[in-house]
Amino acid sequence: QVQVVESGGGLVQPGGSLRLSCAVSGPFFSTLEMGWYRQAPGKERELVARISRNGSPTYTDTIQGRFTIARDNAKKTMYLQMNALKPDDTGVYYCNSWSGFRYPWGQGTQVTVSS
């Protein structure tokens, strides 16, 4: 069964850190450019970072310098290290491919940044 499971979210104070994980069960992971997406309250889901199949990252301006995306193709797992978190980073974080084959969307993991 093709499945995507995100984990690692939680409640954190501004300036804190979290590490998200995305475990994929299904084909093609090592061949796909993957991405982390965020859906903030009342807004549409948007890409925040993506990583090529060989590990080259691309970040949006809003997270540049604070977040680090990584992947382990052998484990079919992707990570997002989130540092210096801000209230604007609050939302549900999802992972999926950036282009081509698309996995079913997982449940996401909630990140709340609040004092």
Side-chain angles (χ1 to χ4, degrees):
Q1 181 180 358
V2 178
Q3 192 175 14
V4 173
V5 179
E6 300 94 347
S7 62
L11 173 63
V12 63
Q13 293 186 343
S17 298
L18 286 172
R19 187 185 191 225
L20 307 185
S21 297
C22 164
V24 175
S25 59
F28 313 132
F29 180 84
S30 64
T31 69
L32 293 171
E33 185 166 12
M34 294 293 295
W36 279 101
Y37 299 78
R38 175 172 67 204
Q39 186 164 20
K43 296 186 178 180
E44 293 188 356
R45 187 159 45 202
E46 61 179 1
L47 180 78
V48 295
R50 68 182 197 261
I51 185 167
S52 70
R53 58 185 181 178
N54 64 0
S56 296
T58 301
Y59 302 102
T60 58
D61 290 343
T62 57
I63 69 163
Q64 180 75 44
R66 299 187 297 121
F67 293 8
T68 302
I69 190 171
R71 67 189 296 165
D72 185 332
N73 286 338
K75 295 181 178 179
K76 294 186 178 181
T77 303
M78 184 172 64
Y79 306 96
L80 187 67
Q81 177 66 44
M82 311 165 68
N83 298 328
L85 282 160
K86 304 175 180 180
D88 284 350
D89 295 320
T90 294
V92 181
Y93 285 72
Y94 302 87
C95 67
N96 213 315
S97 64
W98 167 240
S99 63
F101 180 84
R102 182 60 62 96
Y103 297 110
W105 288 97
Q107 299 271 7
T109 186
Q110 174 71 47
V111 172
T112 303
V113 185
S114 176
S115 55

